[in-house]
Amino acid sequence: MQALVSIIMGSTSDLPVMEAAAKFLNDMEVPFEINALSAHRTPEKVEEFAKAAHGRGIRVIIAAAGMAAHLPGVIAAMTSVPVIGVPVKASLEGLDSLLAIVQMPPGIPVATVGINASMNSAILATEILAASDSALYQKLIKFKEDLKIKIVKANEELAQVKYDFKVG
Amino acid sequence: MQALVSIIMGSTSDLPVMEAAAKFLNDMEVPFEINALSAHRTPEKVEEFAKAAHGRGIRVIIAAAGMAAHLPGVIAAMTSVPVIGVPVKASLEGLDSLLAIVQMPPGIPVATVGINASMNSAILATEILAASDSALYQKLIKFKEDLKIKIVKANEELAQVKYDFKVG
Amino acid sequence: MQALVSIIMGSTSDLPVMEAAAKFLNDMEVPFEINALSAHRTPEKVEEFAKAAHGRGIRVIIAAAGMAAHLPGVIAAMTSVPVIGVPVKASLEGLDSLLAIVQMPPGIPVATVGINASMNSAILATEILAASDSALYQKLIKFKEDLKIKIVKANEELAQVKYDFKVG
Amino acid sequence: MQALVSIIMGSTSDLPVMEAAAKFLNDMEVPFEINALSAHRTPEKVEEFAKAAHGRGIRVIIAAAGMAAHLPGVIAAMTSVPVIGVPVKASLEGLDSLLAIVQMPPGIPVATVGINASMNSAILATEILAASDSALYQKLIKFKEDLKIKIVKANEELAQVKYDFKVG
Amino acid sequence: MQALVSIIMGSTSDLPVMEAAAKFLNDMEVPFEINALSAHRTPEKVEEFAKAAHGRGIRVIIAAAGMAAHLPGVIAAMTSVPVIGVPVKASLEGLDSLLAIVQMPPGIPVATVGINASMNSAILATEILAASDSALYQKLIKFKEDLKIKIVKANEELAQVKYDFKVG
Amino acid sequence: MQALVSIIMGSTSDLPVMEAAAKFLNDMEVPFEINALSAHRTPEKVEEFAKAAHGRGIRVIIAAAGMAAHLPGVIAAMTSVPVIGVPVKASLEGLDSLLAIVQMPPGIPVATVGINASMNSAILATEILAASDSALYQKLIKFKEDLKIKIVKANEELAQVKYDFKVG
Amino acid sequence: MQALVSIIMGSTSDLPVMEAAAKFLNDMEVPFEINALSAHRTPEKVEEFAKAAHGRGIRVIIAAAGMAAHLPGVIAAMTSVPVIGVPVKASLEGLDSLLAIVQMPPGIPVATVGINASMNSAILATEILAASDSALYQKLIKFKEDLKIKIVKANEELAQVKYDFKVG
Amino acid sequence: MQALVSIIMGSTSDLPVMEAAAKFLNDMEVPFEINALSAHRTPEKVEEFAKAAHGRGIRVIIAAAGMAAHLPGVIAAMTSVPVIGVPVKASLEGLDSLLAIVQMPPGIPVATVGINASMNSAILATEILAASDSALYQKLIKFKEDLKIKIVKANEELAQVKYDFKVG
């Protein structure tokens, strides 16, 4: 099935971080692909990828990178497919990659999520696809409802915990 | 015409920052609306807005806020329409609003752009709409081409400047 | 017994941090309750909680959250019961949650304590209650006296340590 | 009339920042006093003040200071009256005073508000008093309602602005 | 005369910062060229430039950029000519551009100088050329000697100043 | 009269910052000298200065520098006369010079004062001299008393201000 | 023997950090004492200590504290004996305690050393005493010479290491 | 064989970080030497080294140091051989050493690489030598080609991984 979302990592060492994104897309039955491409070490591959993405049917790109994280911005410069950037924590608590991804110059935005926020990048990608796919929108609504139920249940379990205290 | 993009500001004092977003959407002929709603001062209005957005036809929300900027996250918690967050610089060079917008917990992403990056929020919104609208995608391509031409021309003017120097 | 203090956590994973708050309130015999409510995942529950709190007799709310920590501010926006915010360290050494809690806009204050400063949130809650309850005020005075005695005693023990050195 | 709130500044140069706090308390008809006392330059005055505060009827202390801002913590160490700390921006964008106020050790909390957040310190003080004064609680509710009306009105004015654009 | 050093700016708005570099190279009679090329807006031009640089006789590249400053790293990825990066201050006091330039991944170094340190980039470029050009090395030595003389002279003038004081 | 304190600046541009130090020493009648010596541009002068200081009767050195501020540490490495470091704000709000001065490796301390804290460097120098000079110690005590009187008086003036408010 | 240096810690938990200071003073045969006194939990003890220090013969005070580290500044406010501040790393990598110690207001300096820089605080204390004690000054010179010899020897051992490589 | 690159560390404890630099130079058959010299503990050795380097045939210096890292700047002040600075992470996540190395004053640049970026310092040194040695330039090109092949191969292995998911 044709991938709609393409996950790109700056290095295969980012795979443990990005697995949650793959898992979420899989759970939502959104067709996707995963590749490792370095903005610095394989620039031609990145260019080739970015320029062909829209034509191949890719509708959202998730790009993860650490340190001076150029990958998301470099891809965004060569396509008009929306690019979601995931700052990977590799040094300085991830602050370097966050700033290197989010502070893009006028003209070339990257939709940045939190440090190591792999699952959130996949949810955002799904929201973007769901903007023109109401079945997918309903799935997302259901996912958020399930999250709520989990929280409410956790709270009920917490209610038990508190009776260990004398008062309250 | 039905707005597809909704720009929300935490305060009308953010209007000067957000004008570039409105201008870009206008130039691209993307129907949009602008409102000021405070996550903290008018929470019910925010809830009402967020819950009705999808039904009213809004496909992307741009939310701008400063300081402990909760507006984008609070809206994202109540809709599955993609939310773009614009950190507005009001204190600490904008670092507080950047972190308060981008570091969302698992389950509720906000697509964060740079500090005061108003135009980029509008470009990103257009890219999201263009994921299922090829005419709009072509407009974006044209916009990026025009940007390039502007840069190339600026460089040519720069070429004149350098002859003031003896060598080079 | 009717709770006067309500401890709210963004996630049950914050429980280990917040146990010291529960323990302190318990020791001071201040009636309290603990719940997990997410500003982002269960916004309606949070709204319901915040709006009912004063009517139910809650006089102080302690709200703990990490990352883009909106919970304390979101609650403060919907009640005039004083809200104490506890930034939980989950990323960036806790700086993100500190700024997302403390830098509230004019009109909606959150009484912020230090990163992971769970016990201090409970002491502050007790001080607030003690502003109109002199018996409780005396208990607090006694608590601080006991702290002093502990420090003075520790110092006396330290006095032994130093004789391992030749001089002094 | 006996002051219930005492505003203390580290230096008279903090007065322009703290005027908004005085104004708010005045508007709410909360009896208050203002003094300048330096933790470092007049430590005995600070001690005398802190130890006498509760006996004089002070129920909340607002302490503002900049740089290595010790004043709020030093006062909190000598009373069990709740102390609200206002970090004043004097260097490093106010980050130094924020950290020097909020990161108190276990046992001695300071209820910290945002950098230069003078009005918020007064609202918080009023909320603390209102915890045992329902007339004051009603005044606060009214204040927040008025804020909302102001925001809603500003939004209506914004609605006019947008018709300058072709679309929306 | 064939340029040995190529100064590239991310935007012509960086020209005021980079003039000091041009002036220094001019003073040292090092042949150079200046161009504006954006990593994000004209990526093909950047690639073309980077790949042709060595063949055209360029021996050092100075690349200046602000915010999420990718230009120096993107060029370094496509050539083995040494690349000197100049972080330009445009937001966050220049910390974003510093980190986005200096924190390059293993394999692709950028020789980073201080924020807005335009003259230093040119001195470093000259030192690199001087590694195989002893005449140029002598010029650099002379430049540093002149700097010393200027400092020593300034100190002598300072010696006059101090007699305004009673003692010393 | 033989100088006991030597003020060294990295650049004559630091003079406006360091004047308060000179003024304080002058007021206290502590013999001093002022010089500009750059750790980087006149390293031999710095070495000569540092090695001769103790022999010439210098008992405390005050060294001020900005950015990558090496001057205080470089001097401290070549003498056992106590060196007070003054971080001068030139970029990054002075954080770079603060860290470059205070974070010295084991073996070579620099007594660091606050950013641009020129007067404090002179007070500290005087305290060091006063450790073995009781007349000077008395002068310092008097200086602090005068500071207190000034604060107390400012507070009395503040007492007038507050009567502009209805309550308090 | 009468202590000349007094080491004060905010908490006995700082003892492992401060042992290196005690060891150095011991090695240099400088009479010293160690105590734990909390600025916040035992303020009267701190005041008593600070006011009596000079009269008891203390010539330098070393004060160590973490987080919102007020101890060094609070002591400095009540004596003119030079106070050396040691920021202890307890949260935020120690940045909070560094700023809370070093950024003192005009009039009350604290001689700040690096984060956890216990030994350096003791060397600085010895340098201050040595300003009027030439025998001690000679000991310090010898200590620095021994450090050098150690480094030179370590380098010689390093020379062996490098022959594992083919070239160099 | 005469060393062309000299690696200097502030302390032998930096050796584990700097081994990757030595290994890279060895692999590229670039003659090099390694030494430990402290800017603060052996300043005369550093001066002697810096002044003799060019005459001994050293063409590039790599200087690594942590904390208030003065070594690279101190060497750069005494030679016109290009100096590459490697900030070693020892405290504050390495931010202190990064700023203390990169933020050099006008006149004395240090070519700074990333925190602990040992291999990159060696690649940069090789690029500098290759500016006048085309055989070495070809080796670098080959090294970057090998890096690319490694990345491409890793991506192919990643292609296998993704088939564990249902879709994509």
Side-chain angles (χ1 to χ4, degrees):
Chain A
M1 196 187 261
Q2 169 55 43
L4 294 175
V5 177
S6 186
I7 301 175
I8 305 290
M9 287 166 279
S11 152
T12 49
S13 66
D14 300 331
L15 191 58
V17 169
M18 293 313 293
E19 267 171 359
K23 194 180 168 316
F24 181 84
L25 293 174
N26 204 51
D27 289 354
M28 301 296 278
E29 297 180 321
V30 171
F32 70 98
E33 60 182 27
I34 313 184
N35 289 286
L37 290 177
S38 166
H40 300 116
R41 288 170 288 209
T42 57
E44 295 85 0
K45 291 270 171 192
V46 169
E47 184 184 346
E48 196 182 297
F49 163 80
K51 293 195 167 164
H54 188 257
R56 283 199 301 121
I58 300 299
R59 289 299 166 258
V60 187
I61 295 165
I62 295 174
M67 303 172 74
H70 298 187
L71 185 65
V74 162
I75 292 173
M78 295 188 285
T79 183
S80 284
V81 170
V83 176
I84 299 171
V86 183
V88 175
K89 176 173 161 177
S91 56
L92 288 170
E93 299 287 320
L95 191 66
D96 46 2
S97 52
L98 172 56
L99 297 179
I101 291 175
V102 80
Q103 287 287 75
M104 290 292 290
I108 316 285
V110 169
T112 310
V113 293
I115 296 167
N116 279 3
S118 168
M119 188 172 80
N120 271 0
S121 70
I123 297 175
L124 183 56
T126 308
E127 287 181 354
I128 290 171
L129 293 174
S132 62
D133 175 346
S134 41
L136 194 55
Y137 192 81
Q138 293 313 315
K139 273 195 205 171
L140 273 170
I141 299 269
K142 194 176 171 313
F143 164 75
K144 290 206 182 172
E145 285 305 318
D146 291 351
L147 255 181
K148 265 184 220 186
I149 291 166
K150 230 167 87 183
I151 300 279
V152 170
K153 211 169 152 187
N155 191 15
E156 280 159 10
E157 284 158 21
L158 192 64
Q160 311 305 322
V161 175
K162 73 187 172 200
Y163 293 108
D164 296 352
F165 295 105
K166 260 187 316 215
V167 199
Chain B
M1 195 187 261
Q2 170 54 43
L4 294 176
V5 176
S6 187
I7 301 175
I8 305 292
M9 286 165 280
S11 154
T12 49
S13 67
D14 300 330
L15 190 58
V17 169
M18 293 314 293
E19 268 173 359
K23 193 182 168 315
F24 182 84
L25 293 173
N26 204 50
D27 288 354
M28 300 296 277
E29 299 180 318
V30 171
F32 70 97
E33 61 183 27
I34 312 185
N35 288 286
L37 289 176
S38 165
H40 300 116
R41 286 170 290 209
T42 57
E44 295 85 358
K45 290 269 171 195
V46 169
E47 184 183 346
E48 195 182 297
F49 164 80
K51 293 195 167 165
H54 188 257
R56 284 199 300 119
I58 299 298
R59 289 299 166 259
V60 187
I61 295 165
I62 295 174
M67 302 173 75
H70 297 188
L71 185 64
V74 162
I75 292 173
M78 294 189 286
T79 183
S80 285
V81 171
V83 176
I84 298 171
V86 183
V88 175
K89 176 173 161 177
S91 54
L92 288 169
E93 299 289 319
L95 192 65
D96 47 1
S97 54
L98 171 57
L99 296 178
I101 290 175
V102 80
Q103 287 288 76
M104 291 292 290
I108 317 286
V110 169
T112 311
V113 294
I115 297 166
N116 280 3
S118 168
M119 187 173 80
N120 271 0
S121 70
I123 297 175
L124 183 57
T126 308
E127 287 181 353
I128 290 172
L129 293 174
S132 61
D133 176 343
S134 39
L136 195 55
Y137 192 81
Q138 293 313 315
K139 272 195 206 170
L140 274 170
I141 300 269
K142 195 178 168 311
F143 165 75
K144 290 205 181 173
E145 286 304 318
D146 290 352
L147 256 180
K148 265 183 223 186
I149 291 165
K150 228 167 89 184
I151 300 279
V152 170
K153 212 170 150 186
N155 192 15
E156 280 160 11
E157 284 158 21
L158 192 63
Q160 311 305 323
V161 175
K162 73 187 170 200
Y163 294 109
D164 296 353
F165 296 105
K166 260 187 316 215
V167 198
Chain C
M1 196 187 261
Q2 169 54 43
L4 294 174
V5 176
S6 187
I7 301 175
I8 305 290
M9 286 165 280
S11 153
T12 49
S13 66
D14 299 331
L15 190 59
V17 169
M18 294 313 293
E19 268 172 358
K23 195 182 168 313
F24 182 84
L25 293 174
N26 204 51
D27 289 354
M28 300 297 278
E29 298 181 319
V30 171
F32 71 98
E33 59 183 27
I34 313 185
N35 289 286
L37 290 177
S38 166
H40 300 116
R41 286 171 288 211
T42 57
E44 296 84 358
K45 291 270 169 193
V46 169
E47 184 183 346
E48 196 183 295
F49 164 80
K51 293 196 167 163
H54 189 256
R56 284 199 300 121
I58 299 298
R59 290 297 164 261
V60 187
I61 294 166
I62 295 173
M67 302 172 75
H70 299 185
L71 186 64
V74 162
I75 292 173
M78 295 188 286
T79 183
S80 285
V81 171
V83 176
I84 298 171
V86 183
V88 175
K89 175 174 161 178
S91 55
L92 288 170
E93 299 288 319
L95 191 66
D96 47 2
S97 52
L98 171 57
L99 296 179
I101 291 175
V102 80
Q103 286 288 76
M104 290 293 289
I108 317 285
V110 169
T112 310
V113 294
I115 296 166
N116 280 3
S118 168
M119 188 172 82
N120 271 2
S121 70
I123 297 175
L124 182 57
T126 308
E127 288 181 353
I128 290 172
L129 294 173
S132 61
D133 176 344
S134 41
L136 195 55
Y137 192 81
Q138 293 313 314
K139 271 195 207 172
L140 273 170
I141 300 269
K142 194 177 169 313
F143 163 76
K144 289 204 182 175
E145 285 305 320
D146 291 351
L147 255 182
K148 263 183 223 188
I149 291 164
K150 230 166 86 183
I151 299 278
V152 170
K153 212 170 152 186
N155 192 15
E156 281 160 9
E157 284 158 22
L158 191 64
Q160 310 305 322
V161 176
K162 73 186 172 201
Y163 292 110
D164 296 352
F165 296 104
K166 261 187 317 212
V167 198
Chain D
M1 196 189 261
Q2 169 55 41
L4 294 175
V5 177
S6 187
I7 302 175
I8 305 292
M9 287 165 280
S11 154
T12 49
S13 67
D14 300 330
L15 191 58
V17 169
M18 294 313 293
E19 268 171 0
K23 196 183 166 314
F24 181 85
L25 293 173
N26 203 51
D27 288 354
M28 300 296 279
E29 298 181 319
V30 171
F32 70 98
E33 60 183 27
I34 313 184
N35 289 286
L37 289 177
S38 164
H40 301 118
R41 287 170 289 210
T42 57
E44 296 84 0
K45 290 271 170 193
V46 169
E47 184 183 347
E48 196 182 297
F49 163 80
K51 294 196 167 163
H54 188 257
R56 284 198 302 118
I58 299 299
R59 289 299 166 258
V60 187
I61 295 165
I62 295 173
M67 300 174 76
H70 297 187
L71 185 65
V74 162
I75 292 173
M78 294 188 287
T79 183
S80 285
V81 171
V83 176
I84 298 170
V86 184
V88 175
K89 176 172 160 179
S91 54
L92 288 170
E93 299 288 319
L95 192 66
D96 47 1
S97 53
L98 171 57
L99 296 179
I101 290 175
V102 79
Q103 287 288 75
M104 290 292 290
I108 317 286
V110 168
T112 310
V113 293
I115 296 166
N116 279 3
S118 168
M119 187 174 80
N120 271 1
S121 71
I123 297 175
L124 183 57
T126 307
E127 286 181 354
I128 290 172
L129 293 174
S132 61
D133 175 344
S134 38
L136 194 54
Y137 191 80
Q138 294 312 315
K139 272 195 206 172
L140 273 171
I141 300 268
K142 194 176 169 315
F143 164 75
K144 289 203 183 177
E145 285 304 320
D146 291 352
L147 255 182
K148 264 184 224 188
I149 290 165
K150 230 167 86 184
I151 300 278
V152 170
K153 212 170 152 186
N155 191 15
E156 281 159 10
E157 283 158 23
L158 192 63
Q160 311 305 322
V161 176
K162 73 185 168 202
Y163 294 109
D164 295 352
F165 295 105
K166 262 189 314 219
V167 197
Chain E
M1 196 188 261
Q2 170 55 43
L4 294 175
V5 177
S6 187
I7 302 175
I8 305 291
M9 287 165 279
S11 153
T12 49
S13 67
D14 300 330
L15 190 60
V17 170
M18 294 313 293
E19 268 172 359
K23 194 182 168 314
F24 181 83
L25 292 174
N26 204 50
D27 289 353
M28 300 296 279
E29 299 180 320
V30 171
F32 71 98
E33 60 182 27
I34 313 184
N35 290 285
L37 289 178
S38 164
H40 300 116
R41 288 170 288 209
T42 56
E44 296 84 0
K45 290 270 171 194
V46 169
E47 185 184 346
E48 195 182 296
F49 164 80
K51 293 195 167 164
H54 188 257
R56 284 199 299 121
I58 300 298
R59 289 299 166 259
V60 187
I61 295 165
I62 295 174
M67 302 173 75
H70 298 187
L71 185 65
V74 162
I75 293 173
M78 296 189 285
T79 182
S80 284
V81 171
V83 176
I84 298 171
V86 184
V88 174
K89 176 173 161 178
S91 55
L92 288 170
E93 299 288 319
L95 191 66
D96 47 2
S97 53
L98 171 57
L99 297 179
I101 291 175
V102 79
Q103 287 287 75
M104 290 292 289
I108 317 286
V110 169
T112 310
V113 294
I115 296 166
N116 279 3
S118 167
M119 188 172 81
N120 271 0
S121 71
I123 297 175
L124 182 56
T126 309
E127 287 182 354
I128 290 171
L129 294 174
S132 62
D133 176 343
S134 40
L136 195 54
Y137 192 82
Q138 293 313 315
K139 274 195 204 170
L140 273 170
I141 299 268
K142 193 174 171 316
F143 164 76
K144 290 204 181 174
E145 284 305 318
D146 291 352
L147 256 181
K148 266 185 222 188
I149 290 165
K150 229 166 88 184
I151 300 279
V152 169
K153 211 169 152 187
N155 192 16
E156 279 160 11
E157 284 158 21
L158 191 64
Q160 310 306 322
V161 176
K162 73 187 171 199
Y163 293 109
D164 295 351
F165 296 105
K166 260 189 318 217
V167 199
Chain F
M1 196 187 261
Q2 169 54 43
L4 294 175
V5 177
S6 186
I7 301 174
I8 305 291
M9 287 166 280
S11 154
T12 49
S13 66
D14 300 330
L15 191 58
V17 170
M18 294 312 294
E19 267 172 359
K23 194 183 168 314
F24 181 85
L25 293 174
N26 203 51
D27 288 354
M28 300 297 278
E29 298 180 320
V30 171
F32 71 98
E33 60 183 26
I34 312 184
N35 289 287
L37 289 177
S38 165
H40 301 116
R41 288 171 287 211
T42 56
E44 296 84 359
K45 289 273 169 191
V46 169
E47 183 183 346
E48 196 182 295
F49 164 80
K51 293 196 167 163
H54 188 257
R56 283 199 300 119
I58 299 299
R59 289 297 165 262
V60 186
I61 295 165
I62 295 173
M67 301 173 75
H70 298 186
L71 186 65
V74 161
I75 292 173
M78 296 188 284
T79 182
S80 285
V81 171
V83 176
I84 298 170
V86 183
V88 175
K89 176 173 160 178
S91 54
L92 289 169
E93 299 289 319
L95 191 66
D96 48 1
S97 53
L98 171 57
L99 296 179
I101 291 174
V102 80
Q103 287 287 76
M104 290 292 291
I108 316 286
V110 168
T112 310
V113 294
I115 296 166
N116 279 3
S118 168
M119 188 173 81
N120 271 1
S121 71
I123 297 175
L124 183 57
T126 309
E127 286 181 355
I128 290 171
L129 293 174
S132 61
D133 176 345
S134 39
L136 194 55
Y137 192 81
Q138 293 313 316
K139 273 195 205 172
L140 273 170
I141 299 269
K142 195 177 169 313
F143 164 76
K144 290 204 182 175
E145 286 304 320
D146 291 351
L147 256 182
K148 266 183 221 187
I149 292 164
K150 230 166 85 182
I151 299 278
V152 170
K153 212 171 152 185
N155 192 15
E156 281 160 9
E157 283 158 22
L158 192 63
Q160 310 306 321
V161 176
K162 73 185 171 202
Y163 293 110
D164 295 352
F165 295 104
K166 262 187 317 217
V167 199
Chain G
M1 196 189 261
Q2 170 54 42
L4 294 175
V5 177
S6 187
I7 301 175
I8 305 292
M9 287 165 280
S11 155
T12 49
S13 66
D14 299 331
L15 191 58
V17 169
M18 294 313 293
E19 268 171 0
K23 194 180 167 315
F24 181 85
L25 293 174
N26 203 52
D27 289 354
M28 300 298 278
E29 298 180 319
V30 171
F32 71 97
E33 60 184 26
I34 312 185
N35 289 286
L37 289 177
S38 165
H40 301 117
R41 287 171 288 210
T42 57
E44 296 84 359
K45 290 272 169 191
V46 169
E47 183 183 347
E48 196 182 295
F49 164 79
K51 294 196 167 163
H54 188 257
R56 284 198 302 117
I58 300 299
R59 289 299 166 259
V60 187
I61 295 166
I62 294 173
M67 300 173 75
H70 299 186
L71 186 63
V74 162
I75 293 174
M78 295 188 285
T79 182
S80 285
V81 171
V83 176
I84 298 170
V86 183
V88 174
K89 176 174 160 177
S91 55
L92 288 170
E93 299 289 319
L95 191 67
D96 47 2
S97 53
L98 171 57
L99 296 180
I101 291 175
V102 79
Q103 286 288 77
M104 290 292 290
I108 317 286
V110 169
T112 310
V113 293
I115 297 167
N116 280 3
S118 168
M119 188 172 81
N120 271 1
S121 71
I123 297 175
L124 183 57
T126 308
E127 286 181 355
I128 290 171
L129 294 173
S132 62
D133 175 345
S134 40
L136 194 54
Y137 191 81
Q138 293 313 315
K139 272 195 207 173
L140 272 171
I141 299 270
K142 194 176 169 313
F143 163 75
K144 289 203 182 176
E145 285 304 320
D146 290 352
L147 255 182
K148 265 184 223 187
I149 291 166
K150 229 167 86 184
I151 299 278
V152 170
K153 212 169 152 186
N155 192 15
E156 280 160 9
E157 284 158 22
L158 191 63
Q160 309 306 321
V161 176
K162 74 186 168 200
Y163 293 110
D164 295 353
F165 296 103
K166 263 189 314 220
V167 198
Chain H
M1 196 188 259
Q2 170 54 41
L4 294 176
V5 177
S6 187
I7 301 175
I8 304 292
M9 287 166 280
S11 153
T12 49
S13 67
D14 299 331
L15 190 58
V17 169
M18 294 313 292
E19 267 172 0
K23 194 181 167 315
F24 181 84
L25 293 174
N26 203 50
D27 288 355
M28 300 296 278
E29 297 180 319
V30 171
F32 71 98
E33 61 183 26
I34 312 184
N35 289 286
L37 289 178
S38 164
H40 301 118
R41 287 171 288 211
T42 56
E44 295 86 358
K45 290 270 171 193
V46 169
E47 184 184 347
E48 195 181 296
F49 163 80
K51 294 196 167 164
H54 188 258
R56 283 198 301 118
I58 300 298
R59 289 299 166 257
V60 187
I61 294 166
I62 295 173
M67 302 173 75
H70 299 187
L71 185 64
V74 162
I75 292 173
M78 295 188 286
T79 182
S80 286
V81 170
V83 175
I84 298 170
V86 183
V88 174
K89 177 172 161 177
S91 55
L92 288 170
E93 298 289 320
L95 192 66
D96 47 1
S97 53
L98 171 57
L99 296 179
I101 291 175
V102 79
Q103 287 287 77
M104 291 292 290
I108 316 286
V110 168
T112 310
V113 293
I115 297 166
N116 280 4
S118 167
M119 188 173 80
N120 271 1
S121 71
I123 297 175
L124 184 57
T126 308
E127 286 182 353
I128 291 171
L129 293 173
S132 62
D133 176 344
S134 40
L136 195 53
Y137 192 80
Q138 293 313 315
K139 272 195 206 171
L140 273 170
I141 299 269
K142 195 177 168 312
F143 163 75
K144 289 204 182 173
E145 286 304 319
D146 291 352
L147 255 180
K148 266 183 221 186
I149 291 165
K150 229 168 86 185
I151 300 278
V152 170
K153 211 171 151 185
N155 192 16
E156 279 159 12
E157 284 158 21
L158 191 63
Q160 311 305 322
V161 175
K162 72 186 171 200
Y163 293 109
D164 295 353
F165 296 105
K166 261 188 316 217
V167 199

